[in-house]
Amino acid sequence: MQMKIESARKEFMLPDMDSTFRVFAAHWRTVDPEWKYPLHKHPLFEVNLVLSGTQEMKVNGHTYKQGPGDLILLNPGDNHESSVASNDEMTYYCLHFDVDERSFRELLIRNSHCFHEAGSELAVAIKPALDKLMALTSEESVVRVESRMNILSALFELFAGLSGTLSELNRGDEAGARKSAAAAQIATMLERTVEGAASRREQEDEMETIKLIADSVGYSMSSVNRMFTQVYGVSPRQYLSTLMLKKAKLLLMNPEATVESISARLGYHNIAHFSRQFKRWTGESPSSFRSRFHE
């Protein structure tokens, strides 16, 4: 009996997606009037929401007073410090995250206004997701599988609210759009470099790879570095390393592939070179990383 395959009149498919995000030190905290947090910066995005009391936040030399419902959205590398700005205690919620989704990173980096008052478009859009995350911030949530899934759901809701609102706020920025187009071209070339790594000679130095790309698009190395970092918040070299690490981890999760074959697929024809690089990225060897998934 022959199976008949009928053609569909209409078909809709979700796009293929391969994105990684990480969340660090999400917490709510009540502090005394004397509390201060010193000037610092970090390579992460940060959402900082005041729940009660008043906080003074200094960001890149500018001072903002946050009351209940006001939030600060920080980009990687922003210099910031905070303190209580009243004689009463203050409660805030803070969440640090990183994400490698290109278009989302671009929207976050292009956001030129870090302070968003309670009632502003952005504050209103992400408050429901933050409320869910705050309700789930407990010791019990760390242990229970269903709670962790609810946390992931709330995080995706938060990211959707951020991306949707920032897309609207960035409309009409033609200069930013031109810069983004050029940076996107460079990012695509970096991604193709990783995908085609096996067909190249022994793994090129990262700077050599970026130099070749800069030459092909007609920009100097300094211009490529500056433009790419302005759009995505990371240098081309950091982006390339992130792509290589993600690819390496995915390949190592396949128990049928040897470390040697994975090394070759990533353009490292010397397995020792690949192992040293992977350990530099993660602090552990490829075999140690693999053992955690196939015990």
Side-chain angles (χ1 to χ4, degrees):
M1 179 178 177
Q2 249 185 342
M3 183 180 292
K4 185 179 179 182
I5 301 176
E6 297 183 359
S7 60
R9 292 183 61 190
K10 286 186 178 180
E11 183 177 26
F12 301 94
M13 297 180 68
L14 286 172
D16 295 337
M17 290 178 279
D18 178 15
S19 181
T20 303
F21 71 89
R22 293 155 293 278
V23 175
F24 303 88
H27 63 279
W28 64 265
R29 178 181 293 158
T30 298
V31 295
D32 294 327
E34 298 79 19
W35 176 86
K36 291 184 179 181
Y37 204 94
L39 182 68
H40 66 290
K41 62 181 178 179
H42 46 66
L44 304 167
F45 297 98
E46 178 180 336
V47 175
N48 187 291
L49 173 70
V50 168
L51 302 175
S52 66
T54 306
Q55 177 173 234
E56 181 177 279
M57 177 82 82
K58 294 182 181 179
V59 183
N60 297 327
H62 299 281
T63 301
Y64 304 93
K65 289 285 181 66
Q66 285 176 269
D70 295 340
L71 67 86
I72 295 278
L73 179 58
L74 299 172
N75 284 332
D78 282 345
N79 288 296
H80 56 289
E81 59 183 310
S82 51
S83 60
V84 178
S86 67
N87 294 323
D88 299 316
E89 64 181 23
M90 185 265 295
T91 302
Y92 70 95
Y93 183 75
C94 179
L95 181 147
H96 302 85
F97 68 93
D98 194 18
V99 62
D100 64 7
E101 166 58 41
R102 259 210 278 150
S103 56
F104 186 31
R105 285 193 70 91
E106 178 189 341
L107 285 170
L108 289 164
I109 295 296
R110 285 174 67 185
N111 174 46
S112 58
H113 303 290
C114 68
F115 178 70
H116 300 269
E117 293 180 333
S120 66
E121 191 174 352
L122 186 68
V124 169
I126 68 173
K127 187 60 163 55
L130 290 175
D131 285 341
K132 292 178 183 178
L133 288 167
M134 285 185 281
L136 287 163
T137 303
S138 67
E139 185 177 350
E140 180 184 1
S141 298
V142 176
V143 180
R144 297 175 57 191
V145 174
E146 63 269 34
S147 294
R148 291 173 68 87
M149 294 303 102
N150 286 330
I151 291 170
L152 288 174
S153 175
L155 285 169
F156 281 119
E157 185 179 335
L158 171 66
F159 295 159
L162 283 170
S163 60
T165 306
L166 292 176
S167 292
E168 291 298 319
L169 294 176
N170 285 330
R171 284 190 189 280
D173 182 5
E174 295 183 6
R178 287 194 298 271
K179 188 185 297 180
S180 297
Q185 181 185 9
I186 295 164
T188 298
M189 297 176 77
L190 290 169
E191 290 160 9
R192 288 175 181 165
T193 295
V194 174
E195 290 303 315
S199 62
R200 300 199 314 276
R201 59 184 173 80
E202 173 64 29
Q203 181 71 23
E204 296 167 346
D205 177 80
E206 291 169 337
M207 297 309 294
E208 181 183 353
T209 298
I210 296 163
K211 175 69 165 61
L212 291 171
I213 290 175
D215 290 343
S216 68
V217 296
Y219 289 101
S220 67
M221 277 280 284
S222 59
S223 295
V224 163
N225 277 298
R226 182 175 61 255
M227 179 170 49
F228 195 92
T229 303
Q230 287 174 347
V231 172
Y232 295 118
V234 292
S235 69
R237 186 176 184 179
Q238 290 171 316
Y239 187 70
L240 181 59
S241 293
T242 298
L243 293 173
M244 292 292 289
L245 175 57
K246 182 195 289 188
K247 184 75 171 177
K249 285 182 173 180
L250 287 172
L251 293 173
L252 286 166
M253 291 171 70
N254 176 7
E256 297 181 1
T258 65
V259 175
E260 187 173 9
S261 67
I262 291 169
S263 173
R265 284 189 63 178
L266 292 170
Y268 294 93
H269 303 301
N270 181 329
I271 189 173
H273 185 188
F274 168 63
S275 296
R276 284 195 301 272
Q277 183 68 296
F278 189 87
K279 190 166 186 178
R280 184 172 68 85
W281 284 332
T282 65
E284 61 181 337
S285 68
S287 57
S288 175
F289 172 84
R290 165 173 275 179
S291 67
R292 293 194 282 112
F293 293 91
H294 305 292
E295 293 179 345

